[in-house]
Amino acid sequence: MAGSAPWVLSQVQVVAEAIATVAFALSGVIEGARKRLDAVGICVVGGLAAFGGGTVRDVILDRRPLFWVQHAGWLWALLALCIAAMIFMRARHLEPTERAMQWPDAIGLGLFTASGTQIALDGGMPTIVAVLLGMVTAVFGGVLRDVVCNEIPRAFNDHRPYAICSFAGGWVLVAAQSVAMPGWVALTVAALVTTGLRAAAVRWNWHLPAWQASRGR
């Protein structure tokens, strides 16, 4: 039974990354539709949101081939998802709103935080580095999505905790593993905590203090 634990963790990681990829791709499709991009632009934005953070992580960890190159089927799945989402939204006359984008974004944030941190830990990274790489995995897809859509990244100017939620979730994973919690359980708990923190920040409008310029004398 103990020998099956790494296999279970590996399978949970795959499922977490798949769901996170779908969630962030949907957030990209919604944002592209809000900006009235054409079909190609929407697919590109969806791809950047879905794969951007993981690509930055893999480059830093020097993991080759990149995860979406090694598993090229994900590209076909992403393309199919973007096309299906566009068709569905047009058929249902759904209005793409920023609020609609926040919920898949929160789910993707939690899952990518947990899986990214776990991948870095598996690579032998120190805990602080692993937590930061989990945050990079979770945040940078959204950053690239917003930059391409000519927005200041929401992770930096939304003022509601975003990267901080990811940072906290990464430490939850580290803490859970330090008390010998099964790896897949620790990953699940970390993802739920991260998503829950972000959802609470959106729901109750928690705000971080903004920089206030000092008045000249």
Side-chain angles (χ1 to χ4, degrees), residues 114-133:
S115 64
T117 303
Q118 184 63 56
I119 287 170
L121 289 172
D122 291 343
M125 295 294 106
T127 52
I128 181 63
V129 175
V131 170
L132 288 174
L133 285 175

Side-chain angles (χ1 to χ4, degrees), residues 126-210:
T127 52
I128 181 63
V129 175
V131 170
L132 288 174
L133 285 175
M135 187 172 67
V136 165
T137 305
V139 170
F140 267 77
V143 169
L144 292 173
R145 173 198 66 208
D146 293 344
V147 168
V148 169
C149 289
N150 200 30
E151 294 275 359
I152 298 175
R154 289 175 179 82
F156 305 144
N157 81 332
D158 180 80
H159 302 312
R160 287 176 296 193
Y162 189 83
I164 287 178
C165 297
S166 176
F167 189 70
W171 285 112
V172 168
L173 178 66
V174 171
Q177 292 190 351
S178 71
V179 296
M181 187 178 291
W184 70 270
V185 176
L187 190 144
T188 302
V189 170
L192 290 173
V193 168
T194 307
T195 296
L197 286 173
R198 176 57 182 171
V202 172
R203 173 64 178 81
W204 287 291
N205 206 29
W206 296 345
H207 273 71
L208 296 171

